[in-house]
Amino acid sequence: MPELRQDLFKNSWVVIATDVELKPRDFPINRSGAQHAIANAFCPFCEGQEATTPPELASYRQEGTAADTPGWQVRTVPNKYSAFNPEGSFAPQMDGIFTRADGFGQHEVIVETPRHDVDFHELPEEHIELVFKMLRQRYNTLAEDKRMKYLQIYKNRGLFAGASLSHSHSQMVGLPMVPETCRIMSRYYEENHACLMCKVLEEERAQGKRIVWESDYFTILCPYASRYSYETWIVPRRHTEHYGEITDQEISDLAVVVKRLLTVLMDKLENASYNIVFNTAPINVAYQPGHHWNMEITPRLIVTNGVEMGTGYHVNPVSPEIAARVIREKLGE
Amino acid sequence: MPELRQDLFKNSWVVIATDVELKPRDFPINRSGAQHAIANAFCPFCEGQEATTPPELASYRQEGTAADTPGWQVRTVPNKYSAFNPEGSFAPQMDGIFTRADGFGQHEVIVETPRHDVDFHELPEEHIELVFKMLRQRYNTLAEDKRMKYLQIYKNRGLFAGASLSHSHSQMVGLPMVPETCRIMSRYYEENHACLMCKVLEEERAQGKRIVWESDYFTILCPYASRYSYETWIVPRRHTEHYGEITDQEISDLAVVVKRLLTVLMDKLENASYNIVFNTAPINVAYQPGHHWNMEITPRLIVTNGVEMGTGYHVNPVSPEIAARVIREKLGE
């Protein structure tokens, strides 16, 4: 029996089919034989190709090796094909009845490994820790720039997640505007005098059926109004607003969680494309309570179509209760 | 120089790169060699396969031929894999802090031709007219059901537009809720005492540079805050709220426009996937002024990635001014 579920975080609805467990082969992308992998003739992220990227902004590298040479484990560079200009500021102007501004913003690439042939979840836990430390460092560095109002950390993995290079990497965009999703979180706090994510954690732990895993510091769950099949969230149980506040202990735990979870998902979903999106609090604005950072992992087994584009309502054929059970079982193996 | 543009219809921003004309081969999907076409082992929409779909709801067919047999030109059937249940009603209930409802809704498929190997824009104009007449008929029929609050007409063409069958078809979903985009239109009217789309038409005709074509009844333009490269809107100049109000004369004109426009787009974009989304007014609710139906054609040359998913801001590498010029030139050839 299909079900409509309200998405409290997007102020929208999701259509969920509640009684079928779809196999990866049941999704049109896979049935059509389309490949999630990307073949690149040349990879600028490989060790030895440092000169083909803009000069590095930060790196963790062997002592004694120079910037923009081999010897690094994780390396951050400006995005060469950035859609944003890091110079200037956000100054909206009218253009008739429309509003425009110069495309001010910062766009960085975090290359997660010098090796081309290793997927993110195949990296050792200690290496994944380095990636999360680099993200924390770049988050806190960019947050010092008072022109930035929001930092979007994300990962595109595979063709159907919008990646254009297969070499494992994440990205960070510093934006001069605060996204609507942040306003939904603060409005919830205003109206309910409580953090929406803390309330959701409480409710999910009480209901139990969508909880995938409780690690030392994180609750892993398939959200009530999952927009994507097998969508999984990693939420710090400690009410923390900014990703930049993550501690070393939390990072160690997160690396274990992400490696095991992605290994299970990639195995179950036959190496499907996926995105990771970090939701976090706005920066350099008047303080608004109600934010609680988290990571969303969204496998891209279905291409969004005219329904989603027209109505904003996602249609998801796999209920989060089924997805959570499947992932829990695989994690227990 | 990249630019940020406010999207008045989505209450969001779009990032636009303003000075490059990308060729289809420049987009990662095409560079990777991915195929937009879908290969189906079996097609339930072909003439002779009528028994494999649910019984037809409506058809235009040769006199003397029986329902669910060959002899039709356009045929509407319930979507066999609908995510909605046409029985019941919309009755939201609390589920802890969450809200759910049975998945009430109607989901129909309009099979646009009995022939498998003809793309929508390859159909003769008179045949495309029949498709638009069928959409009008189904719109007005479904609108009589007082449980329906919004009718979403859409078309998915190609793998990257979310299609699962290649045989030319459109779909209609009858929903018990009113999408957020409708509320944005009515809020604009409340605040400005004017229809947003009428204001946009006025502004676009004054600025000129994003206008693609003025037909007898429609203005064709690339919108100011185009979310997708080569996004093109077809807007009736007559302020009409519902698609169901379209006249026969307007349908004749629309068929000419859609055939020529899609032919040019498919030629220019090398048969890329695309969606067509009809935006229209809510039904069976208290009257709210400010709606103005229109068609959005959105080529899917780029897969939405973590930026769009996290922030809601689309990044579009082709400015609408460039897209409009390119399409205008091709139309003039």
Side-chain angles (χ1 to χ4, degrees):
Chain A
M1 176 76 157
E3 204 173 301
L4 294 163
R5 295 190 183 182
Q6 197 170 26
D7 183 343
L8 292 167
F9 293 88
K10 304 286 181 194
N11 191 19
S12 189
W13 290 84
V14 167
V15 187
I16 287 180
T18 50
D19 43 12
V20 205
E21 185 199 329
L22 287 186
K23 303 268 177 290
R25 290 294 152 86
D26 296 328
F27 292 91
I29 293 178
N30 295 328
R31 222 168 43 220
S32 76
Q35 297 297 309
H36 289 263
I38 302 160
N40 301 123
F42 168 77
C43 180
F45 295 164
C46 278
E47 187 162 39
Q49 303 299 343
E50 291 79 7
T52 65
T53 67
E56 67 190 45
L57 297 162
S59 63
Y60 299 136
R61 50 170 59 251
Q62 276 175 277
E63 232 171 296
T65 61
D68 300 316
T69 68
W72 51 276
Q73 289 97 48
V74 182
R75 183 170 180 256
T76 301
V77 296
N79 188 317
K80 198 172 178 173
Y81 302 99
S82 172
F84 298 91
N85 181 1
E87 308 300 328
S89 64
F90 183 60
Q93 309 160 306
M94 294 304 283
D95 178 2
I97 63 164
F98 304 120
T99 303
R100 68 166 297 284
D102 289 340
F104 166 70
Q106 178 91 15
H107 195 170
E108 305 186 350
V109 178
I110 296 87
V111 187
E112 294 164 338
T113 164
R115 289 181 55 193
H116 188 85
D117 54 348
V118 184
D119 216 340
F120 185 50
H121 63 279
E122 295 168 336
L123 293 167
E125 280 161 18
E126 314 78 62
H127 196 110
I128 294 178
E129 281 188 37
L130 283 184
V131 172
F132 290 137
K133 283 180 178 167
M134 176 62 87
L135 291 176
R136 178 178 63 184
Q137 178 187 323
R138 294 312 300 165
Y139 187 97
N140 290 326
T141 302
L142 277 184
E144 286 170 20
D145 184 337
K146 298 290 177 256
R147 300 171 303 171
M148 301 297 172
K149 305 302 175 201
Y150 191 74
L151 300 175
Q152 182 65 60
I153 307 173
Y154 64 102
K155 182 178 179 65
N156 306 329
R157 191 267 188 201
L159 188 67
F160 287 90
S164 51
L165 291 169
S166 63
H167 193 126
S168 186
H169 66 286
S170 285
Q171 299 182 68
M172 193 177 311
V173 171
L175 291 166
M177 315 87 86
V178 176
E180 180 62 19
T181 43
C182 287
R183 282 195 285 269
I184 292 172
M185 300 288 282
S186 18
R187 267 202 299 269
Y188 187 93
Y189 191 94
E190 265 173 44
E191 288 165 16
N192 300 277
H193 306 287
C195 162
L196 172 57
M197 189 60 89
C198 286
K199 293 293 280 182
V200 164
L201 279 186
E202 197 181 303
E203 180 73 35
E204 290 293 4
R205 300 175 85 189
Q207 292 200 20
K209 56 193 168 185
R210 286 174 298 271
I211 299 280
V212 166
W213 181 7
E214 301 264 16
S215 75
D216 288 349
Y217 295 100
F218 295 91
T219 296
I220 295 87
L221 57 90
C222 294
Y224 184 76
S226 291
R227 294 156 298 155
Y228 295 87
S229 298
Y230 298 96
E231 178 175 345
T232 310
W233 291 4
I234 302 174
V235 187
R237 276 196 298 281
R238 181 168 77 96
H239 175 78
T240 338
E241 299 179 340
H242 294 275
Y243 175 71
E245 299 172 67
I246 193 170
T247 64
D248 284 355
Q249 292 93 316
E250 286 167 335
I251 280 185
S252 296
D253 186 37
L254 187 61
V256 173
V257 165
V258 165
K259 183 174 170 69
R260 284 208 57 205
L261 186 61
L262 285 178
T263 301
V264 158
L265 283 171
M266 288 299 92
D267 182 35
K268 175 70 193 168
L269 306 179
E270 300 181 1
N271 288 303
S273 301
Y274 68 82
N275 296 100
I276 300 181
V277 164
F278 287 64
N279 299 302
T280 177
I283 50 174
N284 303 313
V285 291
Y287 179 69
Q288 299 159 329
H291 300 286
H292 188 138
W293 83 266
N294 74 304
M295 275 170 81
E296 287 179 13
I297 301 173
T298 48
R300 301 290 294 271
L301 295 155
I302 293 189
V303 176
T304 55
N305 68 36
V307 180
E308 285 91 3
M309 296 177 70
T311 64
Y313 306 146
H314 283 257
V315 178
N316 173 5
V318 180
S319 82
E321 292 77 21
I322 291 176
R325 176 174 53 71
V326 166
I327 301 169
R328 259 195 322 265
E329 283 169 10
K330 291 279 280 177
L331 281 168
E333 278 172 12
Chain B
M1 178 75 158
E3 204 173 301
L4 294 163
R5 295 191 182 181
Q6 197 170 27
D7 183 343
L8 291 167
F9 294 88
K10 303 287 181 194
N11 191 21
S12 189
W13 290 84
V14 167
V15 187
I16 287 180
T18 51
D19 44 11
V20 204
E21 184 198 330
L22 288 185
K23 302 267 177 295
R25 291 294 153 86
D26 296 329
F27 291 92
I29 292 177
N30 295 328
R31 223 169 41 221
S32 76
Q35 298 297 310
H36 289 263
I38 303 160
N40 301 123
F42 168 77
C43 179
F45 295 164
C46 278
E47 187 161 39
Q49 302 299 343
E50 290 79 7
T52 64
T53 68
E56 66 191 46
L57 298 162
S59 62
Y60 298 138
R61 49 169 60 253
Q62 277 175 274
E63 233 171 295
T65 61
D68 300 316
T69 68
W72 51 277
Q73 289 96 48
V74 181
R75 182 169 181 259
T76 301
V77 296
N79 188 317
K80 198 171 178 175
Y81 303 99
S82 172
F84 299 90
N85 181 359
E87 308 300 328
S89 64
F90 182 61
Q93 309 160 305
M94 295 303 284
D95 177 2
I97 62 164
F98 305 120
T99 303
R100 68 166 296 285
D102 289 341
F104 165 70
Q106 178 90 16
H107 195 169
E108 304 186 350
V109 178
I110 295 87
V111 187
E112 294 164 337
T113 164
R115 289 181 55 194
H116 188 84
D117 54 348
V118 183
D119 217 340
F120 185 49
H121 64 278
E122 295 169 337
L123 293 168
E125 279 160 18
E126 313 77 64
H127 197 111
I128 294 177
E129 280 187 38
L130 283 184
V131 172
F132 290 136
K133 283 181 178 166
M134 176 63 87
L135 291 176
R136 179 178 62 183
Q137 177 186 325
R138 293 312 300 164
Y139 187 97
N140 290 326
T141 302
L142 276 185
E144 285 170 19
D145 184 336
K146 298 290 177 254
R147 300 171 303 170
M148 300 297 173
K149 306 301 175 200
Y150 190 75
L151 300 176
Q152 181 65 59
I153 308 173
Y154 64 101
K155 181 177 179 65
N156 306 329
R157 191 267 189 199
L159 189 67
F160 288 90
S164 52
L165 290 169
S166 64
H167 193 125
S168 187
H169 66 287
S170 285
Q171 298 183 68
M172 192 176 311
V173 172
L175 292 166
M177 316 86 86
V178 177
E180 180 63 19
T181 43
C182 289
R183 282 194 285 267
I184 292 172
M185 299 287 283
S186 16
R187 267 202 298 269
Y188 187 93
Y189 191 94
E190 265 174 45
E191 288 165 16
N192 300 276
H193 306 286
C195 162
L196 173 56
M197 189 60 89
C198 286
K199 293 293 280 182
V200 164
L201 279 185
E202 196 182 303
E203 180 73 35
E204 289 293 3
R205 298 176 85 190
Q207 293 200 19
K209 57 194 168 184
R210 285 174 298 272
I211 299 280
V212 166
W213 181 7
E214 300 265 14
S215 75
D216 288 348
Y217 296 99
F218 296 91
T219 297
I220 296 88
L221 58 91
C222 294
Y224 184 76
S226 291
R227 294 155 299 155
Y228 295 87
S229 299
Y230 298 95
E231 179 174 344
T232 309
W233 291 4
I234 302 174
V235 187
R237 275 196 298 280
R238 180 167 77 95
H239 175 78
T240 338
E241 300 180 339
H242 294 275
Y243 174 72
E245 298 172 68
I246 192 169
T247 65
D248 284 355
Q249 291 93 318
E250 286 167 335
I251 280 185
S252 296
D253 187 38
L254 187 60
V256 173
V257 165
V258 164
K259 183 174 170 67
R260 285 208 56 204
L261 186 61
L262 284 178
T263 301
V264 157
L265 284 171
M266 289 299 92
D267 182 35
K268 175 70 194 169
L269 306 180
E270 300 181 2
N271 288 304
S273 301
Y274 67 82
N275 296 100
I276 299 181
V277 165
F278 288 63
N279 299 302
T280 176
I283 50 174
N284 302 313
V285 292
Y287 179 68
Q288 299 158 330
H291 300 285
H292 187 138
W293 83 266
N294 73 305
M295 274 170 82
E296 287 178 12
I297 302 174
T298 47
R300 302 290 294 271
L301 295 154
I302 293 188
V303 175
T304 54
N305 68 36
V307 180
E308 284 92 4
M309 296 177 70
T311 65
Y313 306 147
H314 283 257
V315 178
N316 173 6
V318 180
S319 81
E321 292 77 22
I322 291 176
R325 177 174 53 70
V326 166
I327 302 169
R328 259 197 321 265
E329 283 170 10
K330 292 275 290 173
L331 280 168
E333 277 172 12

